[in-house]
Amino acid sequence: MRVELRNIHKHFGPVHANAGITLTFEEGKIHGLLGENGAGKSTLMKILSGFYRPDDGEIYLDGQRVSFHHPADALRQGVGMLHQDPLDFPVMTVLENFMAGSPGGMVPDKRKARKSLKTLGEQFGFHLDPDATVASLTVGERQQLEILRLLWLGARVLIFDEPTTGISAQQKERLFQALRQLASEGRTIIFVTHKLYEVQELCDTAAVLRLGKLMGRRTAPYDLDDLVKLMFGRVLKMERKPAVPLGEPIFRVEDLAVESARVRIRNVYLEVRAGEVIGLAGMEGSGQRYLLRACAGLLRPTSGRVWFRGREMTGRSYLDFYQAGATYLPATRLEEGLLPGLRVADHLVLTRGSRGFFVNERHARDLAQEAIRTFNIRGRPDSMVEALSGGNQQRLLLSLLRPNLSLLFLEHPTRGLDMESTLWVWEQLLERCRQGTAIFFMSSDLDELLNYSDRILVFFAGQVSAPIPAEELDTESLGRLIGGYGFVPVEEAQTMSVGEAAHAR
Amino acid sequence: MPGERREAMVTLLFRLASVVFALLLTALVLVLVQAPPLEAFRLILKGAFGSPKKVADIFVIWIPLLLTSAGLLLTFHAGLWNIGIEGQIVLGAVFATGVLRYLQDTTIAPTLALILAFVAAALGGMIWALLSGVLKVYGGVNEIFSGLGLDFVAVTLVLYLIFGPWKRPGVGSMSGTEPFPRELWLPTLEKMRLSPWALALALVAWIMVIVLLQRSYFGLRLRAVGRNPRAAYLMMGLSPARLTLLAFAICGVFAGLAGAIQVTAVYHRLIPAISSGYGWLGLLVGMLVNYSPIWIGPVAWFFAMLNLGSIQLPIVLKVDSTLAGVLQGTLVYSFLLGEGIRMKWQQRRREIGESE
């Protein structure tokens, strides 16, 4: 189905989210829609899928003018959208979710649905247990379910909004295969992303949005620098962490072990110096989070000893680490990092100045005002945090970190951020390194790990390697280690000489 | 800022509409049971304001209700459903009764005895609340379940005491324990049941909660833990366990004091229904005012008025005695309904206004 958007406008208050966008998506192709956070991609796609109504402009499907009042409307006419966060019902089973939204009276035909789910799934190599609850699925599997559901409901135009965030490499491979297959069957695929390499790998065409406007349209093969310039108006590149003179050792673990049903991390010896950055690499769920949490006192290690700033902290809780100058920054902002329902100013007061009994409202506002200015947060001191956009929430989270932190633990510090925001976040973090903060971070972005870490711990299947200096690795060798090729768990490495371990790599 | 002012206006309009809707719905119910609605409303007002004594009686109900509502706001703000509040009132009453029974045969000054009774009551309520808190913090037991269980235990304990160790000479009866000697009654206004001391206590508690929740770091921390204990722990270094226990403890103290007032100023003895259901009503008040500490005062007062006013209703209009409950329920539901619609409406406007 050929999709035409003509002169689409959408305002949100003072923000002109879509400013006269005209775009055509031919059928049988995969179309990339590129742009940084807040460029207007999601808005445009929500208009196409019936979530929003445009203020102005027209939509044509195969030359027919259409207007949608509701997402179900759009779906009836063949346009379906997969959202960034799967909009499903976790407590229901796969089959029940599959059937949700299907027309067909009070008594749904379960048997027929079960069969369709199976045959459709086989077509794409998606193996989903119809009776498992959706809560037990991974994000990638939930996506697969949603794709099958949309197809079953007759979608001929499929919109994917940042579908590769939070799914494993294999699932991504399978997803891309499915998308290619769908396109070859004549469906129109629109792929929203801010990741250039995905566009390069997958998309036949790429349209770039910036600040609500269409900046240009390119077809494969692409000139990456050209796309970057369209996206940001200038060329952006990750810089290698500049040499920061490392200070005293401030954190040390000896013979640390974290073990559970899925994780067997043993024999970890590590000494971290002020200003040093340790990257934790590995596929999602390989045990990185366990070690990170064990180091921060959030998880009790099975054995081993921990020192922080000269004091033994073995067995101490996170609150003791916090008071001694460590902070753990979680990946999920609203779930674990911020307090929905409280204002920006409240957040700053809670992390900074709790002197005396009463809250000084003026002081609170000043703190918030300063954070808003220095961290470039789009919001006011009395904005509720849940009203801020994702990027602004991330900035607020960083602004909440106390000055003079000694140790910072980060889960995926830049997940879901575009290049510009990513660079900005690391600018802030490196500034802290210069002031003597040591950083532990886990990430699934190889470039981020290689560019910003001094040493990298690689995790594979619940085991951890000895720390490897980042300059000894490149994308390829790190990628292999993460995939288990040449991976040597630290407990085995210890019996080899250093030379042998390097050789094994 | 004009957006906020408009939002406040919308809120007010929705609330007024809810009240009007509630009145209409109530009138409909009255028509259905063949009672004249206007007459019923008139009787309620007469029942509440008919004489100075009646007006004073509104305050007699208001005092324990305000105390429990004030305490509950702390637990609400800490994100806790303190369903055990009824048990905490009852335990306050039991402790106060115990102390007074022990001291009434000694030569201790009555004032001192009363003070000791109140201290014990506060302690009793606190212990009962902390049981829920400890079970939650260290045992992972949801406070709703433990609270509900502890409520039953408390009621059973009172019945055991009234029919067992504390029974009246002869046979125990549902009318409660033997009344205390007059000098151990909390002093009240002449020929009324209203005690200025109790009133002062309730007002102090109310003001304290307003100050704590709106101005203090403690209140802010409590809200932080209530909104997102995980984030408060990770990002702010707060201890959700400690704040949870503190919220429970203070709420228990207020509930225990309410129990003591019921014993020393209203009934002058321990009776089976000593809490008068003010715990449940307090939960309702807290939710109705959307956890705003200032508003619990007027709203609790309104419920006290309604409670008192509708006592006469079944007798005079010859309708079933549960009608008063129906009226209250209708009011609450239509209010919540209105709030629900309003929040959905405002949220949709906000989402549209702030996405991207």
Side-chain angles (χ1 to χ4, degrees), chain B residues 231-259:
Chain B
Y233 182 62
L234 287 178
M235 294 301 297
M236 282 96 192
L238 299 178
S239 163
R242 200 165 58 199
L243 285 161
T244 296
L245 291 178
L246 259 172
F248 266 122
I250 303 177
C251 180
V253 165
F254 285 3
L257 291 176

Short mmCIF file of all heavy atoms in Angstrom, two decimals, chain B residues 231-259:
data_model
loop_
_atom_site.label_atom_id
_atom_site.label_comp_id
_atom_site.label_asym_id
_atom_site.label_seq_id
_atom_site.Cartn_x
_atom_site.Cartn_y
_atom_site.Cartn_z
N ALA B 231 13.47 4.94 43.79
CA ALA B 231 14.22 6.14 43.40
C ALA B 231 14.68 6.90 44.63
O ALA B 231 15.79 7.43 44.66
CB ALA B 231 13.36 7.02 42.50
N ALA B 232 13.82 6.96 45.65
CA ALA B 232 14.20 7.68 46.86
C ALA B 232 15.44 7.02 47.48
O ALA B 232 16.31 7.69 48.02
CB ALA B 232 13.04 7.67 47.86
N TYR B 233 15.49 5.72 47.38
CA TYR B 233 16.62 4.96 47.92
C TYR B 233 17.87 5.18 47.07
O TYR B 233 18.92 5.58 47.57
CB TYR B 233 16.22 3.49 47.91
CG TYR B 233 17.22 2.50 48.47
CD1 TYR B 233 17.61 2.56 49.81
CD2 TYR B 233 17.73 1.49 47.68
CE1 TYR B 233 18.49 1.63 50.33
CE2 TYR B 233 18.60 0.55 48.19
CZ TYR B 233 19.00 0.64 49.52
OH TYR B 233 19.86 -0.28 50.02
N LEU B 234 17.75 4.98 45.76
CA LEU B 234 18.93 5.05 44.89
C LEU B 234 19.45 6.48 44.74
O LEU B 234 20.63 6.72 44.90
CB LEU B 234 18.60 4.50 43.50
CG LEU B 234 18.44 2.99 43.37
CD1 LEU B 234 18.08 2.62 41.94
CD2 LEU B 234 19.71 2.27 43.79
N MET B 235 18.54 7.40 44.41
CA MET B 235 19.00 8.74 44.04
C MET B 235 19.13 9.67 45.24
O MET B 235 19.94 10.57 45.23
CB MET B 235 18.04 9.37 43.03
CG MET B 235 17.99 8.68 41.69
SD MET B 235 19.59 8.62 40.88
CE MET B 235 19.92 10.36 40.65
N MET B 236 18.27 9.50 46.24
CA MET B 236 18.29 10.43 47.36
C MET B 236 18.92 9.84 48.61
O MET B 236 19.04 10.52 49.62
CB MET B 236 16.86 10.89 47.68
CG MET B 236 16.34 11.94 46.72
SD MET B 236 15.36 11.18 45.42
CE MET B 236 15.18 12.54 44.28
N GLY B 237 19.25 8.55 48.56
CA GLY B 237 19.86 7.93 49.73
C GLY B 237 18.93 7.89 50.93
O GLY B 237 19.39 7.91 52.07
N LEU B 238 17.63 7.87 50.70
CA LEU B 238 16.68 7.79 51.82
C LEU B 238 16.44 6.33 52.17
O LEU B 238 16.59 5.44 51.35
CB LEU B 238 15.35 8.43 51.42
CG LEU B 238 15.40 9.90 51.03
CD1 LEU B 238 14.01 10.37 50.63
CD2 LEU B 238 15.91 10.73 52.18
N SER B 239 16.03 6.12 53.42
CA SER B 239 15.73 4.76 53.84
C SER B 239 14.23 4.55 53.87
O SER B 239 13.56 5.01 54.79
CB SER B 239 16.32 4.50 55.22
OG SER B 239 15.72 3.36 55.78
N PRO B 240 13.67 3.91 52.86
CA PRO B 240 12.22 3.71 52.84
C PRO B 240 11.73 2.96 54.06
O PRO B 240 10.65 3.24 54.59
CB PRO B 240 11.98 2.89 51.56
CG PRO B 240 13.16 3.17 50.71
CD PRO B 240 14.30 3.37 51.65
N ALA B 241 12.55 2.03 54.56
CA ALA B 241 12.13 1.24 55.73
C ALA B 241 11.90 2.15 56.93
O ALA B 241 10.86 2.09 57.58
CB ALA B 241 13.19 0.20 56.05
N ARG B 242 12.88 3.02 57.18
CA ARG B 242 12.76 3.86 58.36
C ARG B 242 11.59 4.83 58.24
O ARG B 242 10.84 5.03 59.20
CB ARG B 242 14.07 4.63 58.57
CG ARG B 242 14.21 5.12 59.98
CD ARG B 242 15.61 5.56 60.28
NE ARG B 242 16.03 6.61 59.37
CZ ARG B 242 17.31 6.92 59.15
NH1 ARG B 242 18.25 6.24 59.76
NH2 ARG B 242 17.62 7.90 58.34
N LEU B 243 11.43 5.42 57.07
CA LEU B 243 10.35 6.39 56.91
C LEU B 243 8.99 5.71 56.99
O LEU B 243 8.03 6.28 57.51
CB LEU B 243 10.52 7.13 55.58
CG LEU B 243 11.66 8.16 55.64
CD1 LEU B 243 12.11 8.54 54.26
CD2 LEU B 243 11.19 9.40 56.39
N THR B 244 8.90 4.49 56.46
CA THR B 244 7.66 3.74 56.55
C THR B 244 7.29 3.51 58.01
O THR B 244 6.16 3.75 58.44
CB THR B 244 7.82 2.38 55.83
OG1 THR B 244 8.04 2.62 54.46
CG2 THR B 244 6.59 1.51 56.01
N LEU B 245 8.27 3.07 58.80
CA LEU B 245 8.00 2.81 60.21
C LEU B 245 7.61 4.09 60.94
O LEU B 245 6.70 4.10 61.77
CB LEU B 245 9.24 2.18 60.86
CG LEU B 245 9.54 0.75 60.40
CD1 LEU B 245 10.81 0.23 61.06
CD2 LEU B 245 8.38 -0.18 60.71
N LEU B 246 8.30 5.18 60.60
CA LEU B 246 7.99 6.46 61.26
C LEU B 246 6.55 6.90 60.96
O LEU B 246 5.83 7.34 61.85
CB LEU B 246 8.95 7.53 60.77
CG LEU B 246 10.10 7.87 61.71
CD1 LEU B 246 11.08 8.79 61.01
CD2 LEU B 246 9.56 8.54 62.97
N ALA B 247 6.17 6.77 59.69
CA ALA B 247 4.82 7.17 59.30
C ALA B 247 3.79 6.34 60.06
O ALA B 247 2.82 6.86 60.61
CB ALA B 247 4.63 7.02 57.80
N PHE B 248 4.03 5.05 60.11
CA PHE B 248 3.13 4.17 60.85
C PHE B 248 3.07 4.58 62.33
O PHE B 248 2.00 4.66 62.93
CB PHE B 248 3.59 2.71 60.76
CG PHE B 248 2.93 1.95 59.65
CD1 PHE B 248 3.69 1.35 58.66
CD2 PHE B 248 1.55 1.80 59.61
CE1 PHE B 248 3.10 0.63 57.64
CE2 PHE B 248 0.95 1.08 58.59
CZ PHE B 248 1.71 0.49 57.61
N ALA B 249 4.25 4.83 62.91
CA ALA B 249 4.31 5.14 64.34
C ALA B 249 3.49 6.39 64.65
O ALA B 249 2.67 6.40 65.58
CB ALA B 249 5.76 5.32 64.77
N ILE B 250 3.70 7.46 63.88
CA ILE B 250 3.00 8.72 64.19
C ILE B 250 1.50 8.54 63.98
O ILE B 250 0.69 8.98 64.79
CB ILE B 250 3.53 9.87 63.32
CG1 ILE B 250 5.04 10.01 63.53
CG2 ILE B 250 2.83 11.16 63.67
CD1 ILE B 250 5.67 11.08 62.67
N CYS B 251 1.15 7.86 62.89
CA CYS B 251 -0.28 7.64 62.64
C CYS B 251 -0.88 6.84 63.79
O CYS B 251 -1.98 7.13 64.26
CB CYS B 251 -0.47 6.90 61.32
SG CYS B 251 -2.19 6.58 60.95
N GLY B 252 -0.15 5.84 64.27
CA GLY B 252 -0.63 5.03 65.39
C GLY B 252 -0.85 5.87 66.63
O GLY B 252 -1.83 5.69 67.37
N VAL B 253 0.06 6.82 66.88
CA VAL B 253 -0.09 7.70 68.05
C VAL B 253 -1.39 8.49 67.94
O VAL B 253 -2.19 8.54 68.88
CB VAL B 253 1.11 8.66 68.14
CG1 VAL B 253 0.81 9.80 69.11
CG2 VAL B 253 2.36 7.90 68.58
N PHE B 254 -1.64 9.07 66.76
CA PHE B 254 -2.87 9.86 66.59
C PHE B 254 -4.10 8.99 66.77
O PHE B 254 -5.07 9.39 67.41
CB PHE B 254 -2.89 10.51 65.20
CG PHE B 254 -1.95 11.68 65.07
CD1 PHE B 254 -1.12 12.05 66.12
CD2 PHE B 254 -1.90 12.43 63.91
CE1 PHE B 254 -0.26 13.12 66.01
CE2 PHE B 254 -1.05 13.51 63.78
CZ PHE B 254 -0.21 13.86 64.83
N ALA B 255 -4.06 7.79 66.20
CA ALA B 255 -5.21 6.90 66.30
C ALA B 255 -5.42 6.50 67.76
O ALA B 255 -6.56 6.47 68.25
CB ALA B 255 -5.01 5.68 65.43
N GLY B 256 -4.32 6.21 68.45
CA GLY B 256 -4.43 5.84 69.86
C GLY B 256 -5.05 6.95 70.68
O GLY B 256 -5.90 6.71 71.54
N LEU B 257 -4.65 8.20 70.39
CA LEU B 257 -5.23 9.34 71.11
C LEU B 257 -6.73 9.45 70.83
O LEU B 257 -7.52 9.74 71.75
CB LEU B 257 -4.52 10.64 70.70
CG LEU B 257 -3.07 10.75 71.16
CD1 LEU B 257 -2.42 12.02 70.63
CD2 LEU B 257 -2.98 10.72 72.68
N ALA B 258 -7.12 9.20 69.58
CA ALA B 258 -8.55 9.21 69.26
C ALA B 258 -9.27 8.16 70.11
O ALA B 258 -10.36 8.41 70.64
CB ALA B 258 -8.75 8.92 67.77
N GLY B 259 -8.65 6.99 70.26
CA GLY B 259 -9.25 5.95 71.09
C GLY B 259 -9.38 6.40 72.53
O GLY B 259 -10.40 6.18 73.19
#
